[in-house]
Amino acid sequence: TVILCNGKVTILNPEKTQASGVELIKLSECSREEITTFANSENSKDIFDALNVLYLNEGLVIKVADKTIVKEPLTLIHLITGEESVHHSRLLLSLGKNSQLDVIQQFVSKGNLSYSHHITELQLADGAILNWHKLQLGLGSNFLISRETGTQSANSRFTFHTHTVDSEFVRNEIGRAHV
């Protein structure tokens, strides 16, 4: 389980995750080379991408090794707290060849009138399978903008489900995957 509270990353039980072939690294602890292997929104002409890069609080890099089938879902909890606050976070996920991962991503709120912007960049190698469930629950009067984008290799599969409940303003965007 990973908790992102106002964009700040807390990894629960990192030893257990690493033992299963999954590597979790805070974005602030990554080398520039590790980060630039992703599509990277720094060159985007989208204003929301530019704001995310400029005001990024923190992010997470997830790497799943080749031929790793993760049996338990990885849970990512985005907790938005405080009144009238702004949070920017980013997730970079790389699945190796013939690997498989299920992700449950939850956005929940404990405050009002906050703005949260999250970008997920995905890389799926040949034969990788990713099942993603995004739950946006009880965001109330908060604003959430979320984008998923990435690249897929041959024979990879990406399944994505979004469930939004009790939210005044949510913008979900899925970028085109490239083969």
Side-chain angles (χ1 to χ4, degrees), residues 162-175:
T162 301
H163 308 277
T164 304
V165 178
D166 187 29
S167 300
E168 285 186 38
F169 182 88
V170 173
R171 175 180 165 181
N172 289 306
E173 204 174 304
I174 296 181

Side-chain angles (χ1 to χ4, degrees), residues 122 124 148-153 156 158 174-179:
L122 308 167
L124 279 68
E148 289 79 24
T149 187
T151 58
Q152 285 185 264
S153 295
S156 65
F158 175 46
I174 296 181
R176 203 168 49 130
H178 306 284
V179 178

Side-chain angles (χ1 to χ4, degrees), residues 50-108:
L51 288 170
N52 186 276
V53 169
L54 186 61
Y55 295 111
L56 184 65
N57 293 94
E58 179 60 279
L60 183 67
V61 174
I62 301 170
K63 296 179 182 179
V64 179
D66 290 351
K67 299 180 182 177
T68 299
I69 297 176
V70 182
K71 295 184 180 177
E72 294 182 28
L74 175 63
T75 303
L76 306 170
I77 301 171
H78 297 263
L79 180 60
I80 303 165
T81 65
E83 304 293 318
E84 301 178 16
S85 55
V86 177
H87 318 107
H88 296 272
S89 59
R90 181 167 296 223
L91 174 66
L92 308 175
L93 174 64
S94 175
L95 266 69
K97 290 182 180 181
N98 300 310
S99 62
Q100 184 173 340
L101 178 67
D102 293 339
V103 174
I104 299 172
Q105 181 181 38
Q106 299 176 25
F107 289 86
V108 294

